[in-house]
DNA sequence: ACCTGAACACCGTTCAAGT
DNA sequence: ACCTGAACACCGTTCAAGT
């Protein structure tokens, strides 16, 4: 059989994301992806050293997409709190839309700090910090607030993705509410 | 070879927790557990229908242990905020101590609401709600605050377990800080 | 009731060999 | 440079058979 692809890597990633969304991480295997693409089971190894490398690439893609959505959501005009709220909603909706992808993105344990996934994740954090420019808050206050808000949003996102929120609670409401309470409780621009 | 165990189930769980703590979820296999315990590879199936059933049992154990620690941490005297803070610290420290177990506990996607894992998880939530007795807050306010706080703590715990907090941030400080800000921002006992 | 042993279908990973 | 095919060691799961 002739060579099948010039862009096997991209096709593997695309197919992997579909499988991930439809059947979860557990259903992702290099062999089945190769089968789906009509390629030998060993072909993926040329593009991904191992299964983890594929998951890492998916995580990077995920952070890049999340970052793009966050950047867009905060690009409009509006007050500081409004922009924070938009960012929060965007984050939480991403988790609703791609729960399995979010899981892969944050299953990045014991990775060295130089990692690509970590860098992609940090870029998302930067977008939040940028919102504080001209807010009147000191850099230290902004960074502290940023970590706390990010952790809180991640909690809502993770519980949403795991379908572990009490019935009747909307992730959107929770996110906006959390932003409001943290803001009021932080005396940021005092 | 004679029968090896009368309590194979308990030994499997114990060994599984060790493996989980040392090498992560990925290293957990029914076959290797059986090997470690000197039992045939099919023996575990008598006690756990499949691999997921073992993970579920670990998750239930985890929630029970967490619940016991939370209950103990809030049993002392002290003001409302102090007790909330102790609960928060206990939660977050659990995540530091058993990161892989926490991951298993919250990897409970797409489970029916009757599930044992969900029940064990809900019991932990109850402990938080009990703290509001006599706090002056309405039940609705308490439940809302409880969900928000739990999500925020879970976020800190998850990022801690994934080692994804910015360097220099202590999970303890973050948890206590979050409790304070949420409390101040919530006008609970107004 | 509880465990064994063989069997089946699936993995990840490696590597010589093809084009 | 990129892919194939065979090979190896590992899985989960099932099931007849043993005690």
């Amino acid at each position: 059989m002739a060579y099948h692809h010039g862009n096997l890597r991209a096709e593997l990633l695309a197919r992997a994301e579909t499988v991930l969304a439809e059947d979860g991480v557990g259903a992702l295997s290099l062999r089945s992806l190769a089968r789906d693409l009509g390629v030998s089971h060993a072909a993926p190894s040329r593009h991904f050293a191992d299964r983890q490398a594929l998951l890492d690439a998916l995580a990077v893609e995920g952070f890049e997409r999340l970052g793009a959505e966050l950047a867009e959501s905060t690009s409009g005009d509006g007050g500081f709190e409004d922009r924070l709220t938009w960012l929060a909603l965007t984050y939480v909706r991403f988790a609703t839309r791609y729960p399995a992808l979010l899981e892969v993105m944050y299953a990045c344990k014991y990775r060295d700090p130089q990692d690509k996934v970590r860098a992609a994740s940090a870029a998302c954090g930067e977008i939040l910090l940028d919102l504080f420019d001209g807010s009147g808050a000191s850099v230290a206050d902004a960074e502290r607030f940023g970590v706390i808000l990010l952790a809180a949003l991640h909690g809502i996102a993770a519980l949403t993705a795991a379908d572990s929120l009490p019935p009747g609670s909307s992730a959107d409401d929770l996110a906006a509410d959390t932003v409001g309470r943290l803001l009021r409780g932080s005396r940021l621009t005092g």
Side-chain angles (χ1 to χ4, degrees), chain A:
Chain A
M1 181 179 287
Y3 286 0
H4 210 267
H5 293 85
N7 56 340
L8 183 53
R9 195 193 131 96
E11 296 204 27
L12 282 168
L13 278 176
R15 177 68 192 147
E17 230 192 278
T18 304
V19 173
L20 181 61
E22 286 175 355
D23 300 307
V25 221
L28 264 185
S29 88
L30 294 174
R31 282 181 108 112
S32 76
L33 289 175
R35 231 177 291 131
D36 292 347
L37 266 53
V39 103
S40 93
H41 65 261
S45 72
R46 290 286 133 184
H47 302 278
F48 301 102
D50 51 26
R51 192 184 119 106
Q52 189 55 52
L54 173 71
L55 294 178
D56 286 358
L58 284 173
V60 170
E61 272 200 350
F63 277 116
E64 283 168 354
R65 191 182 315 161
L66 174 59
E69 295 189 9
L70 291 179
E72 203 207 336
S73 76
T74 58
S75 67
D77 46 0
F80 177 56
E81 178 162 1
D82 282 351
R83 289 153 69 97
L84 269 186
T85 304
W86 273 115
L87 179 136
L89 291 181
T90 302
Y91 190 168
V92 151
R93 285 171 184 170
F94 184 90
T96 309
R97 219 161 354 127
Y98 312 108
L101 180 56
L102 192 87
E103 185 185 1
V104 169
M105 287 160 62
Y106 279 98
C108 56
K109 287 177 191 176
Y110 318 131
R111 244 197 275 271
D112 46 311
Q114 307 285 9
D115 192 275
K116 283 190 167 195
V117 182
R118 260 181 156 54
S121 165
C124 286
E126 282 303 316
I127 295 172
L128 173 56
L129 282 184
D130 289 346
L131 282 187
F132 288 85
D133 288 349
S135 72
S138 73
V139 172
D141 281 357
E143 281 180 352
R144 182 67 173 175
F145 185 86
V147 174
I148 287 178
L149 177 59
L150 232 41
L153 292 179
H154 179 63
I156 298 172
L159 293 183
T160 298
D163 199 20
S164 292
L165 248 28
S169 22
S170 128
D172 273 20
D173 290 348
L174 237 34
D177 198 348
T178 297
V179 168
R181 294 183 196 223
L182 284 178
L183 223 36
R184 282 196 301 277
S186 292
R187 308 187 187 100
L188 257 190
T189 53

